[in-house]
Amino acid sequence: MAEAIELQRTSEEPAQTNDTQKSKDVASLSSPPESPSDTHSDSETPETMASATGIPEQNYSSEDRREDEPLLGESGDAAQKEGKGIQFNFVIGTAVIAQAGIWILTAIIWAAVFSADVSLFSAHPLLNSAGVLLTTQAILVLQPTHTPKQKKQGTNVHAVLNGTSLLALIAGLIIIEYNKISHGGIHFVSIHAILGLVTYILLIIQALIGIAQYYTPSIFGGLDQAKSIWKYHRMSGYLILVLFFATISAATQTDFNKNVLHIQLWAVITASVITLVGVVPRIKKQKLGMS
């Protein structure tokens, strides 16, 4: 009898086990699937996930994203394209207008100088106009940059062009001063001479601050402090460009120009305005601290 009862219990156990398994299977089918968030622990962040997939997380500030927006026009109209060489920055957007204006102005001055008897003084307008031409190129090449890599390359080219420009301008200043001293001339009395002196002083200050800001930011207390005044460096750069054109315009009213070179004031003003029409629309508002 006991053996019969034991055999009955043994035969019932598999059936109970099968019933339990079926219940579990039904429960698993009726329960909703786990959401993606449920499959990750609370400690997993986007950064950890990015690192796990091998894809670096890209964090661009809103300022970096908007620095391709020019003063006039749509975003990207005057921005350096990814993969494009920096040489294209000289003609992007309205740069072609600026190039036309500055090369016309340079041609006017050089043609007038070589149309007259060449003397030591001739080097003054030749070197100074070359300096203004190079400064304009230095502005044009840097304006379209908006990524860290582009800015680094653009700044280095900008520095080389401006450095060469400064050397040409200083050489032009030395020649005119030597010419005046050798002829017993009076220094810094005409509007042209006064504007020129002011421009030289601002240009030297501009160059020194610009070099220090980028290459030795520790002078200002660190990179962040140096970057905070970059906008003033840019503003003063545009001011100096306008002063260049004002100084050249004033040069047309000097006795030497009226008697020898015969450069017309209207021609200088027209070429200067054309250059600015090409430069100003490419100014990036965000780089000047404007929203």
Side-chain angles (χ1 to χ4, degrees), residues 121 123-132 135 162-177 180 188 191-208 236 239-245 247-248:
F121 175 82
H124 174 70
L126 293 176
L127 286 167
N128 280 359
S129 58
V132 176
T135 296
N162 268 336
T164 308
S165 167
L166 185 59
L167 291 176
L169 290 163
I170 291 175
L173 174 63
I174 292 172
I175 286 171
I176 189 60
E177 285 307 299
K180 282 187 174 292
F188 307 115
I191 296 177
H192 168 67
I194 294 172
L195 278 174
L197 178 62
V198 171
T199 306
Y200 272 116
I201 293 171
L202 290 177
L203 184 63
I204 292 172
I205 295 173
Q206 173 82 349
L208 293 175
S236 57
L239 172 62
I240 289 172
L241 184 64
V242 173
L243 281 175
F244 274 143
F245 295 142
T247 304
I248 297 172

Side-chain angles (χ1 to χ4, degrees), residues 8-210:
Q8 184 179 2
R9 286 180 182 175
T10 307
S11 63
E12 286 177 353
E13 282 178 359
Q16 290 175 355
T17 305
N18 291 337
D19 291 342
T20 305
Q21 183 63 36
K22 286 180 182 179
S23 301
K24 287 182 180 179
D25 291 341
V26 171
S28 66
L29 288 172
S30 60
S31 62
E34 291 179 333
S35 65
S37 60
D38 294 332
T39 61
H40 299 286
S41 66
D42 294 340
S43 61
E44 285 182 317
T45 63
E47 290 82 357
T48 359
M49 293 171 65
S51 123
T53 57
I55 302 172
E57 186 189 10
Q58 299 294 333
N59 289 320
Y60 295 111
S61 66
S62 58
E63 181 179 357
D64 289 335
R65 289 195 297 268
R66 295 176 324 201
E67 277 194 0
D68 64 347
E69 183 181 350
L71 189 63
L72 299 176
E74 299 296 328
S75 179
D77 284 351
Q80 182 178 350
K81 306 300 181 184
E82 290 291 343
K84 284 284 188 179
I86 198 169
Q87 67 271 18
F88 293 101
N89 290 4
F90 293 107
V91 292
I92 290 175
T94 57
V96 289
I97 300 175
Q99 294 287 10
I102 195 61
W103 282 102
I104 289 171
L105 179 60
T106 305
I108 290 171
I109 296 171
W110 281 54
V113 170
F114 287 111
S115 297
D117 294 333
V118 178
S119 63
L120 177 63
F121 175 82
S122 301
H124 174 70
L126 293 176
L127 286 167
N128 280 359
S129 58
V132 176
L133 172 64
L134 288 170
T135 296
T136 305
Q137 304 304 322
I139 291 173
L140 293 176
V141 76
L142 190 57
Q143 280 182 317
T145 61
H146 58 95
T147 68
K149 181 180 178 181
Q150 291 173 358
K151 288 179 180 180
K152 181 178 180 180
Q153 185 182 22
T155 301
N156 288 330
V157 176
H158 176 82
V160 170
L161 288 170
N162 268 336
T164 308
S165 167
L166 185 59
L167 291 176
L169 290 163
I170 291 175
L173 174 63
I174 292 172
I175 286 171
I176 189 60
E177 285 307 299
Y178 174 81
N179 187 72
K180 282 187 174 292
I181 291 171
S182 61
H183 290 85
I186 305 174
H187 302 266
F188 307 115
V189 290
S190 67
I191 296 177
H192 168 67
I194 294 172
L195 278 174
L197 178 62
V198 171
T199 306
Y200 272 116
I201 293 171
L202 290 177
L203 184 63
I204 292 172
I205 295 173
Q206 173 82 349
L208 293 175
I209 292 178

